[in-house]
Amino acid sequence: MLPLQRQNDILEILSKQHVASVEDLCKQLYSSGATIRRDLKKLEADGLIKRTHGGAAIIESTTSEFPLALRESENMEQKDIIAQKALRYIRNGQTIFLDSSSTVCRLARYLKNYSDITVVTNGIRVADILADYKGVKVYCAGGMVRQNAKSIVGSAACEFISHFHADLAFMSSRGIDLTIGATVPSEDEANIKRAFINSTKRPILLFDSSKLDTQYFCRICHLNQFWQLICDIELPKKYQDLQYQTEQNTLI
């Protein structure tokens, strides 16, 4: 089979399944793992797919979201670095907002040894992780369940969040752009994150470096509305300058 034909077949499979492992593609296309990986690398370079741990997912548009299970397996090392940086701000006795993002899920795993922490979340996966931690009290928003995202959204969830005030709010976004701000594919998720921001003086945005200079359909807010920006790498100077201005405004 010619490479172009095989790559078109891969795109057809992903358009139906959205996600496929290398092993699955090998079986369907009767090709070796090395061949499929080369094809996936080419398709990703063309901006048609996104490679994941052990497979690939189709890129449809700026309104599309990958399932949480896939996002949790992506960029694990970067997420650990981000979580460790975020822990610097957490103290026993605090009330914390946590969104449903895969990066925040990673942070939640590090709260096991804290005591007297109260968490308000719209994340089903986050709540499940924290439910076994004796020192953490968990409040989970009610509303509509977004299955792929394992999150709870809608007006009821936003109303629930508005009844609380948190010392810190940790959230993530899919896109980070100096001019446009923080963006996500879903309007429902953007509304939830705004609800968190409106109910704390210290909203903190967590993101890995692959999100820099990218944009998605729904804007959460401008970056200067966040108290801290936490990334796995040292931020480019233009973002550092914004961070400094934000910190100074907070102190005034």
Side-chain angles (χ1 to χ4, degrees):
M1 183 185 297
L2 294 173
L4 183 59
Q5 181 183 343
R6 190 173 54 248
Q7 290 161 18
N8 285 334
D9 289 344
I10 290 173
L11 289 174
E12 184 176 352
I13 291 168
L14 290 176
S15 68
K16 295 175 181 177
Q17 300 180 194
H18 299 289
V19 176
S21 67
V22 171
E23 182 180 2
D24 183 28
L25 292 171
C26 288
K27 290 178 180 177
Q28 293 194 55
L29 300 175
Y30 304 100
S31 299
S32 69
T35 297
I36 294 297
R37 289 186 184 92
R38 281 197 300 271
D39 288 335
L40 295 180
K41 185 176 181 179
K42 173 65 168 58
L43 291 169
E44 184 177 50
D46 291 341
L48 298 172
I49 67 163
K50 182 177 179 64
R51 285 190 295 171
T52 63
H53 183 69
I58 194 75
I59 294 177
E60 295 176 346
S61 72
T62 59
T63 61
S64 300
E65 286 194 283
F66 296 125
L68 178 64
L70 261 182
R71 288 186 279 118
E72 279 193 291
S73 67
E74 290 182 320
N75 303 328
M76 295 290 289
E77 184 177 348
Q78 291 91 328
K79 287 183 173 71
D80 278 329
I81 292 171
I82 293 165
Q84 291 296 330
K85 290 182 177 181
L87 290 175
R88 300 172 188 171
Y89 301 99
I90 299 177
R91 303 287 184 271
N92 292 332
Q94 288 180 328
T95 296
I96 300 170
F97 289 145
L98 298 179
D99 78 357
S100 60
S101 65
S102 60
T103 303
V104 171
C105 280
R106 199 67 188 166
L107 172 62
R109 294 181 181 279
Y110 287 96
L111 299 182
K112 184 174 184 178
N113 296 322
Y114 283 83
S115 62
D116 194 26
I117 293 283
T118 299
V119 170
V120 179
T121 185
N122 74 311
I124 297 171
R125 183 77 176 120
V126 171
D128 185 51
I129 291 168
L130 296 176
D132 294 328
Y133 297 171
K134 293 182 179 180
V136 182
K137 183 188 297 182
V138 184
Y139 290 82
C140 194
M144 182 182 73
V145 175
R146 298 184 68 239
Q147 293 181 345
N148 272 351
K150 302 295 183 185
S151 64
I152 299 171
V153 297
S155 58
C158 291
E159 175 69 17
F160 178 86
I161 292 165
S162 72
H163 291 297
F164 298 91
H165 172 78
D167 300 294
L168 302 167
F170 293 99
M171 65 196 74
S172 187
S173 68
R174 294 291 301 280
I176 308 292
D177 183 273
L178 197 63
T179 302
I180 297 172
T183 54
V184 289
S186 162
E187 184 179 4
D188 283 330
E189 291 290 355
N191 288 337
I192 288 290
K193 294 172 198 290
R194 290 191 205 105
F196 284 138
I197 291 169
N198 290 336
S199 294
T200 183
K201 292 182 178 179
R202 293 184 172 182
I204 299 175
L205 185 64
L206 311 180
F207 55 93
D208 67 71
S209 51
S210 69
K211 310 297 192 303
L212 289 169
D213 300 326
T214 61
Q215 309 87 33
Y216 281 78
F217 181 61
C218 297
R219 183 169 68 186
I220 303 166
C221 64
H222 288 293
L223 297 180
N224 60 11
Q225 290 184 246
F226 291 99
W227 180 62
Q228 292 289 333
L229 306 176
I230 298 180
C231 186
D232 58 298
I233 63 169
E234 182 178 355
L235 287 171
K237 187 177 186 303
K238 60 183 179 180
Y239 289 97
Q240 289 185 25
D241 291 343
L242 174 69
Q243 178 76 77
Y244 176 77
Q245 293 169 13
T246 302
E247 289 173 350
Q248 294 305 302
N249 290 337
T250 303
L251 293 173
I252 293 174

